[in-house]
């Protein structure tokens, strides 16, 4: 037993370190596949020996149960907002006030990026993550503990001597995750999130932690409090302490000796904001010394020791000269506005996406109109609204034939997208290859857009499976392809064969089957063939797989062309088996537990996880269906009720005993 405990702890340590390297430092030391293997090993041990599982284990990030409602929590100290400075003059005014109020004493500022997300507080006790609360109205927020637990850059355990502390920061969604999420929502006919901030908020404030987990949020900290007060003497020290503890802290910050340096920082990042993986809407400037912060104090709504220097929105007005249509991987036709070129904060914009017909109708847009467009980093510029109707207007109509292959275009009921239904359409093929080779899927470095265009246009690749027939000789016939890059690409293609089954599954581009669903299917069925031959009902038995997903998977494998593709991928040597299967059942299978009172060693959450890990269910109230009541100190009314109904009562030691027998 000791050995297993030690082995589990070692795995947890290793995984924590790799999570830190990957999600906080962005410098992984091992491959995703090796990380998955370690994770699976730990999952296996913890499910076979639930007594060695701990609530702060990396396996527990997505173990949480849905919330039953929105629980309000009062903040230890108000989470205030900031006053804004909209230009240089207003920032200088702020600086003058600070100087006057401090009566001539020297002071410094910390300038840091103002990330555009949702602020959140995370509480730790004895080094363990305990609770997360959104800002709410600043005084009372909403508890989002289980959802926040899924954010990989939020450590579940930190090494500190502080008994309790709190960190505050910004939950953000980076642009890539945002674009992917919206693309997925387009696919499903759901409405898009208007910006990464709304997407982050909509992902954190959901009842189901699995949803948060699938959204890839990030948490950047900028405050550390103990007992509701700043934990360090200066803000700069707090940021360094947070970094040391393993929190993600934005590295782009500056300790400024005066307002000139702060202004220079603002200007620098206004020019460089596109380099960042996430959106910023300005810079926050804070007086560094906590003592001086205290002296400067607060107005009713904001501190006098900090200010937000806001960047102007990157918008411009221009004319829509035409609307073109692009074809995506699933054949979806996306209308794109051709614009009269216009400069938006240093970049010339000549196209903006319009997403689909409904969006054009919502905007009330016709060709010839003047529109307000907005640019936000990598995100393709978008049309925000119609500014003025054109004098000559032309209504857009979705073409009945695919603009690339001439195939038929169909818009199915309940869907926002019109699609080209020709599976041989070259635009679809190109997009499918790009999806196949993308980072989160088969991860084939070097197989980018320009190359894929050539491969398809020259007929070297007619199906995704042809990628595995590429040789250095064939590749060297292409433009700008020397022997070295060709050999590299062939090596990367070869390497991609090692990707585990869930990735292979998501590479197929089955509608509604993204990373997470692919993983669940692989876990449930253990192999490609079992999935391919499963009936509709079997498919729906897999966790979280609803009728729509099941139907899509089922239909995919009924299509001869798809089956042929799968066979060819098998022949190429891709991974079609999946060793790990979520262990079903357990010693407590079918048993219902209720917990009451404080247990001597286990927290309620720990006890719950152990019971659930062994296959049992934990409910909130005693009924005649309850099998066991686990009672600790001060058990209250539940104990009396259990006695009355003849429910068996256990103490913590007896519970542990039962778990061991299992
Ligand atoms: S400090 C009392 N620092 O901006 C100080 N806020 O307009 C309050 N934000 O509610 C916040 N990045 O959601 C601070 N580096 C940063 C920030 C930041 C983004 C957000 C935060 C806050 C809002 C204030």
């Amino acid at each position: 037993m000791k050995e297993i405990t030690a082995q589990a702890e070692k795995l947890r340590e290793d995984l924590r370190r790799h999570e830190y390297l990957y999600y906080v430092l962005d410098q992984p030391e091992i491959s995703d596949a090796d990380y998955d293997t370690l994770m699976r090993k730990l999952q296996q041990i913890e499910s076979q020996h639930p007594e060695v599982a701990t609530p702060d284990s990396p396996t527990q990030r997505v173990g949480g149960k849905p919330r039953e409602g929105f629980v309000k929590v009062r903040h230890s100290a108000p989470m205030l907002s900031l006053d804004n400075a909209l230009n240089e003059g207003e920032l200088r005014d702020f600086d003058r006030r600070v100087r006057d109020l401090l009566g001539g004493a020297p002071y410094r500022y910390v300038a840091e990026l103002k990330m555009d997300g949702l602020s959140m507080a995370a509480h730790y006790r004895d080094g363990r993550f305990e609770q997360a609360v959104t800002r709410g109205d600043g005084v009372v927020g909403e508890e989002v503990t289980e959802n926040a637990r899924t954010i990989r850059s939020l450590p579940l355990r930190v090494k500190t001597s502080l008994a309790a502390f709190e960190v505050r920061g910004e939950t953000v969604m980076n642009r890539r995750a945002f674009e992917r999420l919206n693309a997925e929502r387009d696919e499903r006919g759901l409405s898009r999130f208007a910006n990464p901030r709304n997407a982050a908020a909509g992902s954190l404030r959901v009842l189901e932690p699995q949803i948060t987990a699938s959204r890839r949020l990030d948490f950047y900290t900028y405050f550390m409090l103990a007992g509701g007060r700043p934990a360090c003497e200066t803000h700069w020290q707090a940021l360094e302490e947070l970094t040391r503890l393993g929190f993600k802290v934005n590295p782009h910050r500056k300790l400024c000796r005066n307002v000139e340096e702060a202004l220079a920082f603002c200007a620098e990042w206004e020019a460089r904001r596109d380099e960042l993986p996430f959106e910023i809407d300005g810079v926050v400037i804070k007086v560094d010394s906590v003592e001086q912060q205290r002296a400067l104090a607060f107005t009713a709504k904001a501190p006098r020791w900090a200010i937000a220097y806001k960047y102007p929105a990157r918008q411009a007005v221009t004319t829509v000269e035409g609307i073109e249509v692009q074809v995506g991987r699933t054949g979806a036709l996306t209308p794109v506005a051709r614009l009269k070129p216009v400069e938006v904060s240093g970049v010339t914009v000549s196209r903006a996406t319009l997403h689909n017909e409904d969006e054009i109708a919502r905007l009330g847009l016709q060709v010839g109109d003047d529109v307000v467009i907005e640019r936000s980093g990598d995100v393709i510029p978008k049309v925000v609204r119609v500014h003025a109707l054109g004098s000559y207007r032309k209504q857009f109509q979705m073409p009945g034939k695919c603009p690339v292959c001439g195939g038929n275009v169909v818009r199915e009921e309940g869907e926002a997208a019109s699609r080209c239904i020709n599976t041989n359409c070259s635009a679809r093929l190109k997009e499918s290859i790009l999806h196949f080779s993308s980072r989160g899927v088969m991860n084939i470095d070097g197989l980018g857009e320009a190359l894929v265009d050539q491969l398809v246009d020259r007929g070297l690749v007619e199906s995704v499976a042809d990628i595995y027939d590429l040789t250095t000789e064939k590749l060297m016939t292409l433009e700008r392809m020397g022997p070295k890059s060709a050999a590299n690409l062939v090596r990367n293609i070869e390497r991609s064969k090692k990707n585990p089954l869930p990735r292979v599954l998501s590479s197929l581009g089955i509608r509604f089957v993204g990373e997470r669903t692919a993983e669940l299917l692989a876990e449930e069925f253990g192999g490609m063939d079992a999935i391919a031959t499963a009936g509709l009902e079997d498919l729906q038995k897999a966790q979280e797989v609803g009728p729509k997903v099941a139907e899509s998977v089922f239909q995919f494998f009924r299509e001869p062309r798809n089956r042929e593709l799968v066979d060819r991928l098998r022949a190429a040597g891709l991974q079609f088996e999946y060793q790990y299967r979520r262990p079903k059942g357990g010693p407590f299978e079918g048993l219902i537990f209720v917990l009451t009172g404080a247990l001597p060693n286990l927290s309620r959450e720990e006890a719950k996880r152990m019971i659930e890990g062994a296959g049992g269910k934990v409910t909130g109230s005693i009924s005649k269906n309850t099998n066991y009541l686990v009672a600790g100190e001060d058990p209250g009314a539940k104990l009396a009720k259990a006695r009355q109904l003849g429910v068996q009562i256990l103490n913590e030691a007896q519970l542990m005993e039962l778990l061991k027998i299992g």
Side-chain angles (χ1 to χ4, degrees), residues 104-397:
Y107 57 93
R108 293 197 289 188
Y109 290 121
V110 176
E112 57 196 60
L113 302 181
K114 183 168 177 339
M115 287 156 287
D116 201 8
L118 186 77
S119 50
M120 183 177 88
H123 296 263
Y124 288 76
R125 185 172 297 282
D126 299 326
R128 291 180 178 194
F129 167 68
E130 195 179 56
Q131 190 185 43
V133 186
T134 62
R135 176 173 182 270
D137 63 8
V139 175
V140 172
E142 201 178 282
E143 201 205 324
V144 287
T145 309
E146 293 310 314
N147 299 7
R149 198 191 293 283
T150 69
I151 302 174
R152 305 298 174 106
S153 47
L154 181 79
L156 297 180
R157 192 150 150 187
V158 291
K159 293 197 179 94
T160 167
S161 53
L162 284 174
F165 69 95
E166 171 186 353
V167 299
R168 291 181 177 180
E170 205 75 357
T171 309
V172 299
M173 183 179 286
N174 72 31
R175 288 194 203 105
R176 262 181 54 165
F178 170 70
E179 299 227 312
R180 220 179 55 189
L181 174 61
N182 265 347
E184 216 177 279
R185 292 178 72 85
D186 283 347
E187 273 279 293
R188 294 182 176 211
L190 299 172
S191 63
R192 318 183 106 238
F193 284 109
N195 51 49
R197 186 159 63 102
N198 289 0
S203 303
L204 190 62
R205 297 181 60 252
V206 288
L207 291 175
E208 176 61 79
Q210 309 278 14
I211 295 182
T212 316
S214 69
R215 300 278 175 87
R216 304 283 139 127
L217 296 173
D218 233 334
F219 184 61
Y220 285 88
T221 50
Y222 46 66
F223 273 132
M224 181 171 176
L225 305 174
R229 293 161 177 276
C232 301
E233 280 175 23
T234 69
H235 183 59
W236 190 261
Q237 278 170 15
L239 296 177
E240 290 194 325
E241 177 65 3
L242 285 166
T243 311
R244 198 185 62 78
L245 289 173
F247 288 94
K248 198 162 188 168
V249 182
N250 202 316
H252 307 301
R253 56 179 188 262
K254 187 171 158 74
L255 189 56
C256 307
R257 278 168 300 185
N258 51 44
V259 73
E260 302 305 327
E261 289 188 1
L263 276 164
F265 184 86
C266 295
E268 178 187 348
W269 284 102
E270 184 163 2
R272 292 179 63 189
R273 63 198 278 202
D274 284 353
E275 288 172 29
L276 299 165
F278 46 77
E279 289 289 308
I280 58 170
D281 56 353
V283 168
V284 181
I285 291 145
K286 300 171 186 167
V287 169
D288 188 33
S289 149
V290 168
E291 204 184 307
Q292 290 180 332
Q293 290 180 1
R294 230 170 267 141
L296 289 163
F298 301 86
T299 65
K301 64 176 250 302
R304 277 200 204 89
W305 46 266
I307 196 152
Y309 179 88
K310 289 282 261 256
Y311 293 147
R314 293 183 292 179
Q315 294 186 337
V317 173
T318 187
T319 310
V320 175
E321 293 182 330
I323 296 179
E324 291 163 6
V325 172
Q326 282 179 352
V327 187
R329 166 168 64 89
T330 57
L333 267 50
T334 306
V336 176
R338 189 157 37 76
L339 305 168
K340 179 159 178 239
V342 61
E343 205 185 283
V344 192
S345 55
V347 171
T348 306
V349 174
S350 51
R351 299 159 71 76
T353 176
L354 292 166
H355 307 304
N356 52 50
E357 272 175 296
D358 292 352
E359 175 71 3
I360 296 177
R362 188 187 70 78
L363 292 165
L365 172 75
Q366 295 198 12
V367 175
D369 290 348
D370 281 351
V371 289
V372 176
I373 58 155
E374 185 172 86
R375 192 169 75 80
S376 41
D378 286 339
V379 187
I380 310 162
K382 63 174 183 224
V383 175
V384 183
R385 60 173 183 274
V386 172
H387 176 72
L389 303 186
S391 48
Y392 171 74
R393 308 180 78 209
K394 191 163 168 255
Q395 182 117 30
F396 169 75
Q397 203 152 28

Side-chain angles (χ1 to χ4, degrees), residues 1 4-5 46 48-54 610 656 659-660:
M1 200 63 226
I4 291 174
T5 312
E46 288 182 346
Q48 276 164 9
H49 307 276
E51 65 280 14
V52 308
T54 63
M610 285 187 174
M656 298 302 274
L659 278 161
K660 273 203 195 97

Side-chain angles (χ1 to χ4, degrees), residues 75 93 239 286 335 386 460 507 525 546 584:
H75 291 297
D93 290 346
L239 296 177
K286 300 171 186 167
V386 172
L460 281 175
S507 80
F525 292 94
K584 285 229 185 83

Side-chain angles (χ1 to χ4, degrees), residues 327-332 404 419-433:
V327 187
R329 166 168 64 89
T330 57
V404 176
R419 285 170 208 282
C420 161
I421 54 169
N422 171 16
T423 45
N424 286 321
C425 172
S426 70
R428 291 185 59 173
L429 176 59
K430 286 177 184 172
E431 293 297 326
S432 304
I433 299 169

